[in-house]
Each structure stands twice: as C-alpha cells, then as structure tokens.
Amino acid sequence: KNEVEQSPQNLTAQEGEFITINCSYSVGISALHWLQQHPGGGIVSLFMLSSGKKKHGRLIATINIQEKHSSLHITASHPRDSAVYICAVRSGSGGSNYKLTFGKGTLLTVNP
Amino acid sequence: KAGVTQTPRYLIKTRGQQVTLSCSPISGHRSVSWYQQTPGQGLQFLFEYFSETQRNKGNFPGRFSGRQFSNSRSEMNVSTLELGDSALYLCASSYAGVNTEAFFGQGTRLTVV
C-alpha cells in the first residue's frame, strides 16, 4: 500500500461543476502540499498545509490531521483547471530524516 | 522576478554515459530540491541542498549525486546512465526549505537510449 493515496485517479467534469480530489496518507506528517502539473511538465505549488483550511481564489484545501486526510476543492471549475493534481506529504523529523512522498496524481479534465 | 530555470530542457544520452543537469533558483532562495518523475513511479524525491550542503536524500543509488554552489545554483549528476533513468527531472527552490512554499522549474526531460 502506498503511503499516499489519491482518489480519484481520473476525473472528468463539466465547466462550472464543483470538484473534490482526495488524499489519504498513512504516516505522521509535518506538512502536506497540493501541486498542479500541466501538460509539458511545469509544476505549480498550490497550497502547503499543516492544519485547517486554506483558500486561494476558486481553490480550497483542507486537512484533517487526526484522520490523515486532505481534500482539494475547485469551485466553478473551468477548462483551464484541466491538469494533474498531486498531493505530497513531508514526514520525519530532525536534520536529515525528512522525506517527501508523493501521490500518483489525479488527472482532471474539465469540458466546456 | 525570474522563476526557477532548468537547463537543458531536453537531453538524449546513451546508456553508460553520464549527465549533468542544472537548476538556477529564484534569487534569494537558498534551498534547492530535486525530483524524478516517471510514468511508473510518479514523482520521487532525490535530494535537497541548503546553503551548499546536502540536507536530505531520497532512496536513489549513489549514481545520482548533486551539489550546490555559493550562488545557490545546483547541479545534479547521474553517472553510468541506465534506460530506467529516462524521466522528467524537476527542481524546486524555496527560501528556507520544504516547509516553505516551493517554486518549480519546467524540468529537464532526459531520454536514455
């Protein structure tokens, strides 16, 4: 079992729909990142969370540390939101023991 | 403000050769992290450099190495290339390390033939 599981793997939506992508992890973490990757490879860091909720424009990210679960929501989705969304967790402590583990990503396609 | 610059963008090498990739971070950022992305394994953490010192390392063989210069620019080297090293190599820079926001480069796509 992977340490970081994302669901769904693929998601197709119509423009304007509300989108939710989930991330579950099995290790203790110090932070969780949501990343967006467009075709061609470029990655953009959307959020970094260690507790609670963050909002940026139409994007909302939440994390529940007790349940080891995070969600990324997109309100009023748009075709330009089509991308791969990747969850990454940082675990470990101490100078050289930090480890970054990534989920496999969720491919989101928003149709006009 | 210039973003993270990776060079070259594309590279084709032969098995057994070595390769050096470069990453220039955002001005003022002292941390540079490297990642490998393949279709089968997804994104995997290679290593992180901070102020010219390797601070964190992922589970990769010793053929993968790196360094960071005093101007924070970083290079990654892969020796004795194998077909399985074909991947997109991404670097990210941040001001103080992985618990601060990271900015990614466009990546170097390495193909080993």
Side-chain angles (χ1 to χ4, degrees), chain A residues 20 22 28 30 36 42-43 69 86-87 90 93 96:
Chain A
T20 296
N22 296 299
S30 57
Q36 180 193 56
I43 287 182
H69 181 268
I86 301 167
C87 167
R90 177 172 176 164
S93 62
S96 61

Side-chain angles (χ1 to χ4, degrees), chain A residues 28-91:
Chain A
I29 68 168
S30 57
L32 182 144
H33 301 257
W34 280 103
L35 310 172
Q36 180 193 56
Q37 185 172 30
H38 281 284
I43 287 182
V44 174
S45 177
L46 298 173
F47 296 103
M48 187 190 75
L49 294 160
S50 54
S51 64
K53 176 178 174 178
K54 286 191 177 180
K55 184 176 189 294
H56 185 255
R58 295 180 295 105
L59 301 177
I60 303 166
T62 63
I63 188 168
N64 185 316
I65 298 294
Q66 287 72 32
E67 294 185 5
K68 291 186 166 62
H69 181 268
S70 175
S71 293
L72 176 68
H73 305 286
I74 305 175
T75 61
S77 58
H78 190 276
R80 64 174 175 265
D81 297 326
S82 297
V84 176
Y85 292 83
I86 301 167
C87 167
V89 301
R90 177 172 176 164
S91 57

